[in-house]
Amino acid sequence: MYRYDEFDHAFVNERVAEFSDQVARRLSGELTEDQFKPLRLMNGVYLQLHAYMLRIAIPYGTLSSRQMRRLAHIARTYDRDYGHFTTRQNLQFNWIRLADMPAILKELAEVEMHAIQTSGNCIRNVTADHFAGAAADEVGDPRPYAEILRQWSSIHPEFTYLPRKFKLAVTGAPNDRAAIQVHDIGLELKRNAKGEIGFAVFVGGGQGRTPMVAKRIRDFLPEADLLTYCEAILRVYNLDGRRDNKYKARIKILVHEMGEDEMRQAVEREFAAIGRTALTLPAEEIARIQSYFAPPVLATLPAHSDVLDKAKAADPELARFLRRNLHAHRTPGYGILTVSLKPTGLPPGDATSAQMDVIADIAERYSADEIRVSHEQNLVLPWVCLDDIPAVYAALKRAGLATPNAGLVTDIIACPGLDYCALANARSIPVAQRISERFAALDRQEEIGELKLKISGCINACGHHHVGHIGILGVDRKGEEFYQITLGGSGDETTSIGEIVGRGFSSDEVVDAVETVVETYLKIRTSPAEKFLDAYRRVGEAPFREALYADA
Amino acid sequence: MALFRHGVRVADDWTFPAEGEAFPDSGPVALPRARLIAEWTALEARNAPLGVVIASGEKLDGLEAILPRLSLVKLVIPRYADGRLYSIARLLRDRYSFAGEIRASGDVLRDQVALLVRAGVDTFDVAHEGTARAIETGGIVAVTHHYQPASNDAAEAHAAPGARPWLRRTPVPFPLA
Ligand code: SF4
């Protein structure tokens, strides 16, 4: 993991002092809420329906046990004993008193954490593949580059008042688990024909009101040029991005209006004009940052674990858990485990302070002290020895954290929606809870197979519904909560935007509608091996529409 | 509006003729970009300092050849959230090696002053009373550890050799250019 040195500590402490001063000015009445707003937004503080919310940055989703325990402590001390993991691999506390902010930020700074740039029209927390460093299919670990980008983008003097927020994601594997093509900048780590490391660069993806798949503007960018190239993209965007209409202000609209080729030329021109500067990354510096992310010392083991095989044979529930929540590791004898934060009937992505502590303990003992947050709102233990899995599973189960549903229909992404969010049209969490209850039967979930269901409470699409195999979008119909269904979206290396199938459904109807879609898929699939997305791509929306609107 | 140069309130020695108004025969004069270019020959003959006023959303197009002869670029900020001038200031310093005065004029929050200084701005013409007071009383509190080189590099300390070459330090308290 990355560790702060003196410089990093000093930076965060200065920022805490600056923000604490701003909070004090607000509390004393020197600043009005209007004047305070842009300042608090630079530091992850939102004013929600009922209270202030604090969003804490978890860079590229990597946490140590100590950091997780500190988050649990904050939940217990300053919030209502739980936190919410978000689709940007961050953590939100929904019930924070403004007066407590300085104390919380100080507690975070002690464990090398902060809330800088988790909101506002600036470069947001950089995300990465949650299996980074451990995945079997990886070209290289994306996190050192994400860390370099995090540093470069922290209080960047030129890019703090952008037309709109700006999100970067990095993946180190051809199987994209970081949804890079729906980001403002998406970076795919790759090797060129000469075996050198670099990036394919995607620009202008995004969700929200106008969903767009990013354009690949560079096929291979040498790693040394990472910051210079990003600086060029951001400068083009800062100067030319639209500022007349908040809904047209993201870089995706600029790319769309300029056209892919012109955008590419503008970026390349700026990139060439900047030339070699202190942003050009020396190989030794990349290597130095990489050394922080060196894999832990792992034992030399056979690929197969007899201990695990025996336990599996004896416990069908464990076997089921492994079928869904265990993922291939690059090191023989090890596995990556998904800890589902989607138990039946509970809000997706929430964890209690007690659960956070349990996960911290497990990670400390069995996963090299490391935890990841996935953009699918789950947690991940990246370094688990296969022999240890029975013990890990037992501990997770005791804490209600062993739901065997990773990638299944109840592994739902849902935004906070009308329960918390001032912008919402409709509630998301209760719909997720009801769908989760409807499909609770585990055999049925497994029979349905991989299915990504994503729910947003309004067109801002924080719940990523556009890239859900099944997407649900809350809309307001004459004051009533309604839900539109989209089908065929995907956020992986074959990214596509889901299509609206027809008129929306009331809150009472929407769970039945989802079930109709699922039943239709089960009928039309050529075999259980044909996943929902593949079946949809083969047949299109017609059979689904017929099933949904047969009576209309 | 209150004008600050290096953190000190000063009187403005520049004239900004309104549209259609003739420019004076002597003294420093700054004009909007289009007019400056159009009337360049006559202006140049005056033998006094010249400057340009860049409106929000305008770029430096057409000024490339003239810039070395200018002593002032005034960047107009109608709303604090309009961040385009940060890039313009950086281009002036880094791309065109512009050594004259870069003035940020308009809606500047006190929390933006340090960012603008790093982007290359050296004078502030601020509408916001709170910002003016903060500059005057040394009330600009800013982060002095930076993770990227910017455009007042000469005024910033570099990292020790061997460690992250992108790091920079500004003295405390933050010098206002
Ligand atoms: S999608 Fe809409 S309702 Fe949901 S969190 Fe985002 S802004 Fe709020």
Side-chain angles (χ1 to χ4, degrees):
Chain A
M1 278 188 66
Y2 186 71
R3 292 308 311 263
Y4 281 15
D5 66 7
E6 248 174 80
F7 187 100
D8 302 310
H9 276 295
F11 171 86
V12 170
N13 288 335
E14 279 191 328
R15 181 69 187 106
V16 170
E18 186 183 39
F19 188 64
S20 300
D21 173 60
Q22 291 161 351
V23 169
R25 280 191 274 151
R26 172 72 191 105
L27 290 172
S28 75
E30 186 190 329
L31 292 177
T32 64
E33 175 51 35
D34 263 6
Q35 292 166 325
F36 181 54
K37 187 175 169 187
L39 306 179
R40 64 170 165 77
L41 281 182
M42 290 293 168
N43 209 58
V45 178
Y46 283 79
L47 187 53
Q48 296 200 121
L49 284 174
H50 315 290
Y52 282 105
M53 176 267 273
L54 175 64
R55 185 181 292 152
I56 293 162
I58 302 175
Y60 33 90
T62 297
L63 279 173
S64 68
S65 298
R66 176 163 180 247
Q67 290 173 323
M68 183 65 107
R69 286 196 190 99
R70 187 57 59 94
L71 295 175
H73 164 76
I74 291 170
R76 235 178 344 254
T77 314
Y78 303 100
D79 201 288
R80 299 187 176 173
D81 208 25
Y82 71 95
H84 177 75
F85 290 96
T86 78
T87 54
R88 287 211 61 70
Q89 302 178 306
N90 290 325
L91 180 88
Q92 290 180 191
F93 288 120
N94 284 313
W95 306 95
I96 296 286
R97 290 172 51 233
L98 191 56
D100 288 335
M101 291 292 174
I104 297 171
L105 294 176
K106 218 164 138 254
E107 300 231 26
L108 289 171
E110 283 167 12
V111 295
E112 308 180 8
M113 296 184 79
H114 58 71
I116 297 166
Q117 288 169 224
T118 54
S119 53
N121 292 337
C122 50
I123 302 172
R124 301 291 190 87
N125 185 33
V126 180
T127 53
D129 180 1
H130 42 273
F131 294 168
D137 58 356
E138 191 167 87
V139 174
D141 190 338
R143 292 173 304 159
Y145 304 97
E147 172 59 27
I148 289 169
L149 287 164
R150 180 192 76 82
Q151 296 194 12
W152 160 79
S153 62
S154 292
I155 317 190
H156 194 302
E158 184 178 353
F159 306 132
T160 298
Y161 292 89
L162 295 168
R164 201 77 178 84
K165 59 189 169 185
F166 202 93
K167 301 175 179 179
L168 288 95
V170 197
T171 175
N175 298 306
D176 177 13
R177 287 173 291 263
I180 64 167
Q181 292 184 50
V182 284
H183 280 78
D184 297 287
I185 296 179
L187 297 160
E188 180 197 334
L189 199 62
K190 63 187 286 195
R191 280 185 194 282
N192 66 5
K194 286 189 232 150
E196 297 157 339
I197 285 282
F199 299 91
V201 183
F202 295 79
V203 170
Q207 302 198 50
R209 179 172 307 250
T210 321
M212 303 235 181
V213 177
K215 306 286 184 282
R216 180 194 286 252
I217 63 165
R218 208 10 139 99
D219 196 50
F220 186 82
L221 178 76
E223 56 175 355
D225 294 328
L226 178 65
L227 295 184
T228 309
Y229 204 78
C230 287
E231 186 135 313
I233 294 170
L234 262 300
R235 184 169 290 157
V236 168
Y237 170 56
N238 190 41
L239 284 169
D240 292 332
R242 287 182 62 171
R243 290 173 186 265
D244 58 330
N245 179 343
K246 170 177 172 198
Y247 298 114
K248 299 199 156 118
R250 295 288 289 268
I251 195 174
K252 64 189 173 188
I253 303 292
L254 180 66
V255 174
H256 180 72
E257 290 180 352
M258 281 175 88
E260 182 182 336
D261 286 337
E262 209 185 310
M263 183 72 192
R264 179 180 294 116
Q265 284 160 22
V267 170
E268 291 289 341
R269 258 198 313 274
E270 185 56 36
F271 171 64
I274 297 173
R276 280 187 76 85
T277 66
L279 291 179
T280 310
L281 298 171
E284 321 83 73
E285 267 314 297
I286 297 175
R288 216 175 57 79
I289 303 286
Q290 277 168 335
S291 66
Y292 286 108
F293 298 91
V297 180
L298 303 176
T300 308
L301 296 168
H304 225 73
S305 159
D306 293 339
V307 178
L308 184 58
D309 280 354
K310 275 202 204 95
K312 208 157 66 172
D315 181 356
E317 284 188 31
L318 171 61
R320 188 197 293 277
F321 174 79
L322 297 178
R323 280 201 296 277
R324 291 315 315 178
N325 295 32
L326 174 66
H327 318 279
H329 204 284
R330 54 184 293 195
T331 312
Y334 285 80
I336 304 171
L337 285 181
T338 294
V339 178
S340 168
L341 297 180
K342 323 286 176 67
T344 303
L346 291 176
D350 281 4
T352 64
S353 63
Q355 288 177 322
M356 292 185 219
D357 279 336
V358 167
I359 292 167
D361 291 346
I362 295 174
E364 185 170 25
R365 184 143 175 223
Y366 297 110
S367 181
D369 210 27
E370 209 182 302
I371 303 144
R372 306 286 174 77
V373 182
S374 81
H375 76 90
E376 296 183 321
Q377 301 183 285
N378 290 317
L379 299 175
V380 171
L381 298 168
W383 310 103
V384 184
C385 176
L386 295 178
D387 292 349
D388 290 334
I389 285 182
V392 171
Y393 174 72
L396 288 173
K397 203 170 160 184
R398 277 195 298 276
L401 290 166
T403 315
N405 63 348
L408 298 179
V409 59
T410 60
D411 186 5
I412 300 168
I413 291 184
C415 79
L418 198 53
D419 292 293
Y420 298 97
C421 175
L423 304 171
N425 287 322
R427 284 169 297 173
S428 310
I429 294 169
V431 173
Q433 289 171 304
R434 283 192 286 131
I435 293 172
S436 157
E437 277 158 8
R438 178 72 63 91
F439 289 95
L442 293 170
D443 284 340
R444 184 172 177 218
Q445 285 191 51
E446 268 200 86
E447 193 209 333
I448 296 164
E450 185 180 292
L451 210 175
K452 300 196 185 238
L453 200 151
K454 307 184 195 247
I455 310 174
S456 305
C458 82
I459 193 62
N460 287 332
C462 305
H464 297 181
H465 68 277
H466 291 302
V467 293
H469 300 169
I470 300 178
I472 298 178
L473 164 65
V475 291
D476 174 81
R477 213 174 75 173
K478 298 185 193 120
E480 201 191 333
E481 292 166 74
F482 251 68
Y483 297 89
Q484 243 167 25
I485 291 190
T486 58
L487 296 177
S490 171
D492 61 7
E493 63 284 358
T494 66
T495 292
S496 55
I497 304 297
E499 294 161 50
I500 298 172
V501 277
R503 65 164 177 82
F505 297 91
S506 71
S507 180
D508 284 343
E509 297 164 336
V510 66
V511 180
D512 290 336
V514 169
E515 194 164 28
T516 303
V517 168
V518 171
E519 290 300 328
T520 306
Y521 152 68
L522 291 174
K523 263 184 237 143
I524 61 158
R525 71 181 178 188
T526 51
S527 79
E530 190 184 43
K531 295 177 185 168
F532 180 91
L533 185 62
D534 299 329
Y536 179 83
R537 285 179 173 168
R538 179 173 55 80
V539 302
E541 62 181 4
F544 297 96
R545 180 181 298 168
E546 264 161 48
L548 282 170
Y549 305 107
D551 317 329
Chain B
M1 300 285 265
L3 182 66
F4 295 90
R5 197 169 279 147
H6 307 294
V8 180
R9 193 190 278 255
V10 293
D12 199 350
D13 38 8
W14 285 82
T15 313
F16 300 91
E19 211 186 317
E21 188 189 330
F23 48 80
D25 293 335
S26 62
V29 165
L31 288 166
R33 187 182 65 149
R35 186 170 169 199
L36 183 82
I37 294 170
E39 301 181 31
W40 179 251
T41 319
L43 284 159
E44 206 187 8
R46 290 167 67 257
N47 232 338
L50 288 171
V52 66
V53 179
I54 303 288
S56 136
E58 258 190 324
K59 292 198 203 163
L60 300 169
D61 303 344
L63 290 173
E64 293 86 347
I66 297 179
L67 274 173
R69 317 279 293 276
L70 298 183
S71 309
L72 169 74
V73 177
K74 171 172 160 176
L75 302 172
V76 178
I77 320 172
R79 289 181 322 112
Y80 76 84
D82 186 342
R84 287 177 283 205
L85 81 154
Y86 293 83
S87 289
I88 301 280
R90 292 209 61 195
L91 286 173
L92 281 166
R93 295 288 187 224
D94 296 358
R95 187 76 33 89
Y96 300 106
S97 307
F98 179 71
E101 173 180 336
I102 301 181
R103 182 182 294 192
S105 176
D107 187 21
V108 180
L109 302 180
R110 73 149 99 169
D111 309 86
Q112 295 180 307
V113 170
L115 299 177
L116 284 163
V117 168
R118 294 204 73 218
V121 169
D122 53 6
T123 58
F124 291 90
D125 185 17
V126 299
H128 201 268
E129 198 34 56
T131 307
R133 213 174 327 116
I135 296 179
E136 227 158 11
T137 59
I140 299 292
V141 182
V143 176
T144 60
H145 292 71
H146 314 297
Y147 281 107
Q148 60 296 103
S151 298
N152 62 338
D153 216 38
E156 295 177 351
H158 291 216
R164 298 176 278 175
W166 53 85
L167 299 184
R168 296 291 182 272
R169 284 291 315 271
T170 310
V172 185
F174 203 102
L176 300 177

